Amino acid sequence: MFDSPQRNHPSLIVERLFSVVGALLILLFSRVGDAEIYTGRVFTAAYWRELLALLLQGRVQVLFSGAGVLLLLLVFVFFGVRTWKKTFFHVADGVLLVEKKTLMKKQSSLPVEHIATVNLESNFFEQLIGTSKVKLDLNSFATASATDFTFVLKKTHAEQFKAYILGLKQEHSGAQGAQPVQAQSELEPVIAFSFSKVIRHAALSITLTQIILAVIVFLLPFVSVFFEEQQGQDSLLPFILFSIVIVFGKGLLSALRYARFSLQKDERRIYLDYGLLRKRSYSFTRDRINAVTVKQPFFARLFGLYYVEAAVLGLGNENNETSVLSLLVNKSELQSVLDACAPGFLCAAAVHRSPRAALVPLFLKAAFFAAVGGIALWLAFGFSPLLFGLWLVFCLGMAYLSFRTKSACYDEKVIHFSSGILNKKMVMLQYADVQKLEILQNRMFARLRLGRLRFHVLASLLSSTHITGYVAASHLEACAEKIGI
Amino acid sequence: MEYQRLSKKALGVLAVTAALQALFSAGLLFALFALAKRFLWQGLSLWPAGLFVAVAALLYCALLPPFRHMRYRYHLGEDRVEIIEGAVFISRTIVPIDRIYQIQVSRGPIDSLFGVAKVVITTGGGTATFRFLELAKADALGEQLNAVVRKKIQAGGGQSHV
């Protein structure tokens, strides 16, 4: 079926042009005073000759008349349909061929073995009309922050295409012989989240920054009332509503994004499905995981809950995607998820805290921020030793807490490092997945026998770089030796 | 481990680069002072500010290039490459040979003026660059890297770890 040239589903035209056509339609309907659309004069040649004459006189504003907008709309729709009609894809001899025969001719050929991940996604519109996007990603840093190829097909065809590509990959890789792609019923469930648990994740992932911002917005009118005595009771409502939106808006979007979250696995692959308005279905082999991050937002820490992110090419590419592997779970569930999905990332070695010498650069940084903040406070509120003292104590306190909360552990294959005063985070890396390592030092660090490590792995931009806290110089050398093993 | 250093030619490139950076930064800083005088402190005198910016730029041009030249070292081994660079903040970049999937030798207009080039190695996690190498040395390094990478891939059964 996919060895002959195929087109995308025609609904792709609507999706691609939705925002442009929508904006133009709004503009068109706003021009209700332009009678030429309604009297049919727009369909006469004389009308268009007059329009052209006005344009040649330099009266460009006619383009924003109802007829001008209608013309633009038709042009966009024409080119949208033409692009759809002239774009084909098919698979021949294990190579995916994508051809665009528009004004800018383009032919891409991609051996199936170079496809790293094949994922499905359906937004609200696609769910309504029964289509699905197939998203293909290459194992390439150059295109890590965007999906490499996207095709829109009917839902059943999309699933068939995904199975076809995965089957071809297995055949061509030859690693374990030709094995059929596992049917959904043979998959082993790892963890699934009910709607209440999704709500729990959304609620406990609210950050302190959001809470503080919401409180500031909520308190603003009271401050105004105190100083200006001009705000009436009824003007409080927008501020209250805005505060609620800040706190709960992101949480609601998060709940919709992760509804029906389920994680399954078979012998080689991990399968991730989630989404209500925009359904996403990801699958990738375990060896595509290049880093694992276990996170504990502040409120989740109070309940002993963790969530897991994975640095996988194809997961968390675009701005509206995320690399979450598991929502908030307790410690035993976390261990099950890690055992099932990332057993090679576990480390049983002893934990090393930051060396005491790390206090020096941290306190120096704190002193710098205290000085800058002190100048800002002086300009805003005038000279106040108490205010500056409080700010200095705060900066030094945060520096000490930063020192106390950083740690690392290493064995022959894996390194873990954790950080975070309020929101805790632990990054797990395998040395074999590290593409580049930077050891960061200066003369002061060298004298204190300290340094920091910056690891680069193959993943989208947001999860490709990981930096440790200050570690002892002996550990820097030990890590440098293990890279590449 | 034996590290190689840069030739004297690289000093010229470093000096020109530092001068351009200093010129741009000085211009920006002076513009900020002028804006501050216009909108915040009308009493601010631009002469001391201009003098401060000029002295800072001169010190930058005089001190940074020799420091960077002195610090810059690189090593090409059988299993990895290392680049140590930086003046105040020193960065030591380590790239395992089997992570390299592209090697590129390139030079800009300032590089061409002084007869130097850079070798850019691309991995799945980003790039690492050998800078300020003499042209012949850059070409030789590119070929040497290519040979080492090919040898490693063949020894590993044709498998890349990217």
Side-chain angles (χ1 to χ4, degrees):
Chain A
M1 183 188 176
F2 299 105
D3 46 11
S4 58
Q6 311 267 322
R7 282 198 186 102
N8 284 292
H9 194 272
S11 62
L12 182 62
I13 304 167
V14 174
E15 281 191 68
R16 288 245 168 96
L17 297 179
F18 181 72
S19 48
V20 170
V21 166
L24 288 175
L25 281 173
I26 289 168
L27 202 57
L28 186 68
F29 290 128
S30 71
R31 307 293 308 179
V32 289
D34 294 351
E36 63 263 20
I37 294 175
Y38 303 101
T39 59
R41 208 172 151 247
V42 74
F43 300 109
T44 62
Y47 173 77
W48 291 101
R49 279 199 296 270
E50 277 175 35
L51 199 71
L52 186 62
L54 285 168
L55 267 174
L56 290 172
Q57 285 171 20
R59 288 172 59 183
V60 184
Q61 61 268 28
V62 298
L63 280 177
F64 295 99
S65 70
V69 172
L70 188 64
L71 184 64
L72 265 172
L73 200 66
L74 289 171
V75 165
F76 273 108
V77 170
F78 171 73
F79 279 106
V81 170
R82 195 165 176 273
T83 305
W84 165 80
K85 220 175 158 196
K86 300 260 182 195
T87 304
F88 299 91
F89 64 94
H90 70 284
V91 180
D93 296 326
V95 177
L96 173 70
L97 295 161
V98 182
E99 255 183 311
K100 262 190 191 161
K101 295 177 186 171
T102 54
L103 208 62
M104 306 285 285
K105 289 184 181 19
K106 188 172 161 185
Q107 186 178 48
S108 309
S109 44
L110 172 67
V112 160
E113 308 86 82
H114 291 179
I115 296 173
T117 52
V118 186
N119 297 309
L120 296 179
E121 185 185 297
S122 301
N123 60 31
F124 185 62
F125 174 69
E126 285 161 353
Q127 287 179 60
L128 280 178
I129 61 172
T131 58
S132 200
K133 275 195 201 74
V134 182
K135 298 171 97 169
L136 305 182
D137 275 284
L138 307 183
N139 215 20
S140 165
F141 174 74
T143 57
S145 292
T147 306
D148 292 288
F149 294 96
T150 305
F151 307 104
V152 176
L153 300 167
K154 280 185 89 64
K155 196 170 176 199
T156 43
H157 289 170
E159 281 160 8
Q160 283 168 2
F161 187 47
K162 178 181 170 178
Y164 182 69
I165 295 285
L166 289 178
L168 274 179
K169 267 178 65 66
Q170 278 184 327
E171 263 180 53
H172 283 262
S173 68
Q176 290 172 30
Q179 287 183 352
V181 174
Q182 219 102 7
Q184 285 290 122
S185 58
E186 294 169 30
L187 298 179
E188 187 189 320
V190 177
I191 196 159
F193 293 87
S194 61
F195 197 61
S196 57
K197 288 198 171 164
V198 172
I199 298 284
R200 179 183 74 174
H201 174 86
L204 296 179
S205 299
I206 292 169
T207 61
L208 264 182
T209 315
Q210 280 172 271
I211 301 281
I212 291 168
L213 195 61
V215 166
I216 289 171
V217 167
F218 182 73
L219 288 176
L220 263 177
F222 296 100
V223 172
S224 302
V225 166
F226 183 77
F227 284 114
E228 293 174 18
E229 296 182 8
Q230 283 174 13
Q231 303 292 335
Q233 259 325 94
D234 53 352
S235 67
L236 288 176
L237 190 58
F239 293 93
I240 294 168
L241 286 174
F242 196 49
S243 308
I244 291 169
V245 164
I246 290 171
V247 173
F248 295 109
K250 195 179 169 195
L252 181 64
L253 287 173
S254 183
L256 290 172
R257 177 186 285 172
Y258 296 125
R260 300 181 199 161
F261 195 107
S262 77
L263 181 64
Q264 296 171 296
K265 69 178 183 94
D266 61 22
E267 272 176 32
R268 289 185 66 224
R269 302 186 78 84
I270 291 166
Y271 300 85
L272 197 56
D273 291 276
Y274 60 84
L276 194 66
L277 296 179
R278 189 190 285 262
K279 271 197 170 163
R280 289 193 170 97
S281 175
Y282 296 109
S283 72
F284 47 88
T285 51
R286 266 187 211 82
D287 58 4
R288 292 291 179 205
I289 297 177
N290 293 316
V292 175
T293 309
V294 177
K295 287 186 172 175
Q296 267 193 304
F298 177 71
F299 293 108
R301 280 180 82 176
L302 301 175
F303 294 91
L305 297 172
Y306 311 77
Y307 74 89
V308 184
E309 287 184 351
V312 179
L313 216 53
L315 202 66
N317 273 2
E318 276 95 13
N319 285 338
N320 59 2
E321 285 187 7
T322 181
S323 51
V324 167
L325 196 62
S326 165
L327 302 183
L328 284 172
V329 289
N330 59 35
K331 200 155 192 175
S332 62
E333 285 168 330
L334 170 71
Q335 197 57 49
S336 315
V337 168
L338 292 175
D339 285 338
C341 301
F345 285 86
L346 300 173
C347 176
V351 173
H352 302 276
R353 295 267 166 217
S354 297
R356 290 197 82 82
L359 280 169
V360 174
L362 287 169
F363 280 145
L364 281 173
K365 254 193 224 172
F368 172 76
F369 281 113
V372 168
I375 292 169
L377 285 169
W378 177 33
L379 290 171
F381 300 107
F383 182 67
S384 167
L386 176 66
L387 215 53
F388 181 73
L390 284 171
W391 173 242
L392 180 66
V393 166
F394 174 76
C395 290
L396 292 174
M398 293 303 275
Y400 183 72
L401 285 173
S402 174
F403 159 76
R404 289 289 299 174
T405 53
K406 285 196 169 68
S407 63
C409 80
Y410 339 82
D411 65 17
E412 287 307 305
K413 295 196 170 163
V414 168
I415 176 169
H416 290 189
F417 45 94
S418 33
S419 60
I421 299 170
L422 298 172
N423 303 311
K424 227 168 152 51
K425 175 173 100 165
M426 178 163 68
V427 178
M428 305 177 181
L429 298 171
Q430 290 182 318
Y431 292 114
D433 292 328
V434 174
Q435 300 293 317
K436 184 171 91 166
L437 169 69
E438 287 175 272
I439 299 175
L440 308 170
Q441 282 186 302
N442 56 33
R443 285 192 78 85
M444 179 176 66
F445 287 179
R447 288 226 172 109
L448 295 171
R449 301 191 54 74
L450 285 177
R452 300 177 82 179
L453 296 162
R454 183 155 53 205
F455 296 92
H456 298 259
V457 296
L458 183 56
S460 62
L461 214 59
L462 290 172
S463 42
S464 63
T465 306
H466 304 273
I467 188 164
T468 67
Y470 296 100
V471 297
S474 53
H475 293 304
L476 299 175
E477 288 306 320
C479 281
E481 290 303 315
K482 285 169 192 157
I483 297 294
I485 292 171
Chain B
M1 199 177 290
E2 204 188 303
Y3 288 92
Q4 298 187 50
R5 289 177 174 272
L6 296 175
S7 71
K8 291 261 186 279
K9 273 188 181 176
L11 257 176
V13 183
L14 284 162
V16 170
T17 314
L20 289 170
Q21 286 168 351
L23 203 65
F24 178 76
S25 305
L28 199 64
L29 215 52
F30 193 74
L32 282 171
F33 276 125
L35 283 169
K37 180 181 165 69
R38 174 89 168 77
F39 295 107
L40 290 172
W41 298 297
Q42 274 79 22
L44 177 70
S45 170
L46 284 179
W47 277 109
L51 191 66
F52 165 74
V53 165
V55 167
L58 279 168
L59 280 172
Y60 182 84
C61 290
L63 296 175
L64 190 78
F67 254 127
R68 280 186 80 185
H69 185 269
M70 187 177 67
R71 289 244 194 274
Y72 197 100
R73 271 168 280 170
Y74 63 93
H75 162 77
L76 172 59
E78 281 297 311
D79 61 344
R80 71 174 73 175
V81 296
E82 284 193 31
I83 304 165
I84 301 175
E85 61 178 327
V88 176
F89 295 100
I90 300 159
S91 158
R92 180 178 160 200
T93 304
I94 300 167
V95 179
I97 289 285
D98 56 4
R99 306 288 194 270
I100 299 171
Y101 65 73
Q102 188 181 319
I103 300 156
Q104 182 186 331
V105 179
S106 64
R107 49 191 173 138
I110 300 173
D111 295 329
S112 300
L113 207 63
F114 288 91
V116 298
K118 54 177 163 259
V119 178
V120 182
I121 55 179
T122 307
T123 70
T127 58
T129 309
F130 295 87
R131 290 176 221 274
F132 317 121
L133 303 174
E134 288 184 23
L135 197 51
K137 209 163 193 178
D139 285 334
L141 182 63
E143 290 199 16
Q144 216 178 333
L145 272 169
N146 214 14
V148 172
V149 169
R150 270 206 303 263
K151 191 173 148 190
K152 194 90 181 180
I153 288 175
Q154 275 159 16
Q159 285 182 14
S160 163
H161 289 263
V162 175

